[in-house]
Amino acid sequence: MTTSPSRSEPRTEALFEGLLFDNSFVRELPADPSTENRPRQVQGACYSRVDPTPVAAPTLLAHASEVARLVGLGSVDVDEPSASKALAEVFGGSRLLRGMAPFAARYGGHQFGHWAGQLGDGRAITLGEVVGGPEGRQELQLKGAGPTPYSRSADGRAVLRSSIREFLCSEAMHHLGVPTTRALSLVGTGERILRDMFYDGNPEMEPGAVVCRVAPSFLRFGNFQILAARGEVPLLRQLVAYAIRLHFPHLLPPGAGTGSADEVPHDMILEWLAEICRRTADMVVHWMRVGFVHGVMNTDNMSILGLTIDYGPYGWVDDYDPQWTPNTTDAQGRRYAYGRQPQVALWNLARFAESLGPLLGTMEPLEEALGEYGRAFRDGWESTMAAKLGLRGWRGDEKSDGDGPLVESLLELLQVTETDMTLFFRRLAEIPSAPDIDDETLLAPLRDAYYDTNAAARPDFRQRTLAWLRRYRRRLAEDGRPDPERRDAMDRVNPIYVLRNYLAQLAIRKAEAGDPSGVHELLEALRSPYDERPEAAHLGVKRPDWARHEPGCSMLSCSS
């Protein structure tokens, strides 16, 4: 029999008094009529009620103070033993607070291009929605909190390595300016979990952990897809109405309020889809800007709010390669490679639009609304690349000397030799725009961006690089932006610190040995990814050669 977490003890109530719960999802939408916690197909519901499974010895390993304030916790002294213990118990799943209403959401999705049927929160359990923080409603969700009716054959737990990666990446992406869910805490469970990291038949016992994730909502394309696929159209209409009222209230007519009416006009659904397209485009543009690869862009991993969710086998591009994927499961088809992310996002949006078809009775207007994605992505990409190059604005490709060919030739050049994407764009800001600069001075800032230290000396590559740099400098001269101003602007969009896989792996190794200091060091550096600091200089360098093929440093599996 599964043990339920205890309710919060009075002696710790003061610590959590800022967490004000208003659980709209469970209040307004239908629950699974069965409370049996075993893998099964669920019908006619948006979620199943289920409590987290308590863990043996919850220990707070790390927390994000900014996220604590975001949800209404305020300033928390984690060095005070009773506070640290209470946080670990609550956000490790061993204690429920008054007002929490735990549930696991029901959803489906397309995985690697194929409909997978019912999926759902197989190891994520939402504790509730808090409304006491500075940015309004936030959902608190524990990942690795134990089995749910959607766990299929899994145990509902998560290992420390994947939990560290999710905790750090959630916060890294936020501070990079990428739309994302957040992470409040990382709790060690004191338990060991059997996992086959490489899917090679050699499972090992690994330390377990729970991450508390935070977002205004974790609603995904798949929440709507499963209802359309099962023909549950009245419930689909109800969920759409709920999503618009709670999370897109600006689409409602003046004076409409946020009541529970489920009728949504067709034009409002189309406006809603168009906005989701714009938000998704903005998110993917930011991914491309910083060199992030999600690794598993299934439709159940796509947020209707345009937030990056579900940090599994992700990675940052080290040497620039549009065909690179961090996901071992995707190694053959490379469906979710870096350069394919914009197209995959549109494909996913099209599947989401299909799930709305039963509400309109026709697909034609939905297909027209999907056109908003292409327009938004193009505009976002152009303005982003202009910013990365330090230009005041984008010059259209309709001119023979437009910025499109300049960018295309640069991206081709980056693939000629192994070029670190992050360092290249960061060092590009140091290129002087003044005339009569000799070749060595022009190339000098870029040398440490190449994995082949002799690359700049190879005649063919050297001449091609110099030709592009001269073309770029002519464009800078036409733009007329002073070098100091340009450098400052470029350094605000081209980071120096990103969560490279090898950095995360080094922190994981230390944490698995009982030392979470590597997690704390990375979290601190990633809070200011655009500001170079001497004490963090070792975190802003190329991937070392030893990490090229090291497990956890190059490609990762979905095992966690």
Side-chain angles (χ1 to χ4, degrees), residues 143-370:
K143 185 172 182 178
T148 78
Y150 309 101
S151 296
R152 291 173 284 179
S153 61
D155 59 14
R157 291 303 192 189
V159 295
L160 181 60
R161 58 178 162 82
S162 65
S163 300
I164 287 174
R165 287 173 52 80
E166 173 126 17
F167 175 78
L168 286 175
C169 197
S170 300
E171 291 307 287
M173 293 284 270
H174 169 76
H175 292 293
L176 283 165
V178 182
T180 181
T181 58
R182 304 291 301 275
L184 170 62
S185 58
L186 171 68
V187 173
T189 64
E191 300 172 349
R192 299 190 73 81
I193 302 167
L194 187 66
R195 287 292 184 271
D196 187 350
M197 179 177 176
F198 303 107
Y199 298 126
D200 61 359
N202 295 294
E204 296 181 0
M205 299 300 292
E206 300 186 47
V210 177
V211 172
C212 181
R213 309 195 292 189
V214 177
S217 173
F218 285 92
L219 277 172
R220 311 139 186 271
F221 294 1
N223 292 89
F224 302 85
Q225 286 185 285
I226 190 66
L227 303 181
R230 297 282 175 82
E232 299 172 9
V233 178
L235 184 49
L236 172 65
R237 182 176 294 108
Q238 186 179 355
L239 182 60
V240 169
Y242 166 84
I244 293 175
R245 286 196 315 273
L246 264 290
H247 303 294
F248 298 80
H250 54 281
L251 297 180
L252 299 172
T258 56
S260 59
D262 297 331
E263 289 302 323
V264 184
H266 288 187
D267 58 350
M268 188 180 297
I269 294 175
L270 297 174
E271 290 175 18
W272 181 56
L273 174 59
E275 180 161 338
I276 292 172
C277 287
R278 289 191 292 270
R279 292 191 186 198
T280 302
D282 179 63
M283 175 187 71
V284 177
V285 165
H286 278 292
W287 290 359
M288 306 301 285
R289 172 176 65 86
V290 299
F292 174 79
V293 191
H294 187 280
V296 60
M297 288 179 67
N298 297 326
T299 58
D300 58 296
N301 290 335
M302 298 292 290
S303 160
I304 65 165
L305 300 182
L307 303 175
T308 314
I309 58 174
D310 285 356
Y311 291 99
Y314 66 81
W316 259 269
V317 172
D318 288 319
D319 51 293
Y320 180 83
D321 178 4
Q323 293 303 307
W324 182 73
T325 174
N327 189 348
T328 55
T329 308
D330 197 28
Q332 289 294 109
R334 299 186 181 273
R335 177 182 178 84
Y336 299 143
Y338 171 71
R340 293 183 177 176
Q341 292 181 132
Q343 291 73 33
V344 171
L346 177 58
W347 190 91
N348 288 344
L349 284 163
R351 305 291 78 74
F352 174 61
E354 288 172 355
S355 73
L356 303 179
L359 302 182
L360 274 68
T362 176
M363 282 300 300
E364 185 175 352
L366 292 163
E367 291 168 353
E368 291 177 4
L370 284 172

Side-chain angles (χ1 to χ4, degrees), residues 4-25:
S4 295
S6 64
R7 289 286 168 179
S8 183
E9 299 175 15
R11 61 186 173 82
T12 60
E13 282 296 319
L15 179 63
F16 302 106
E17 63 184 7
L19 296 182
L20 307 177
F21 288 93
D22 176 50
N23 303 310
S24 64
F25 195 81

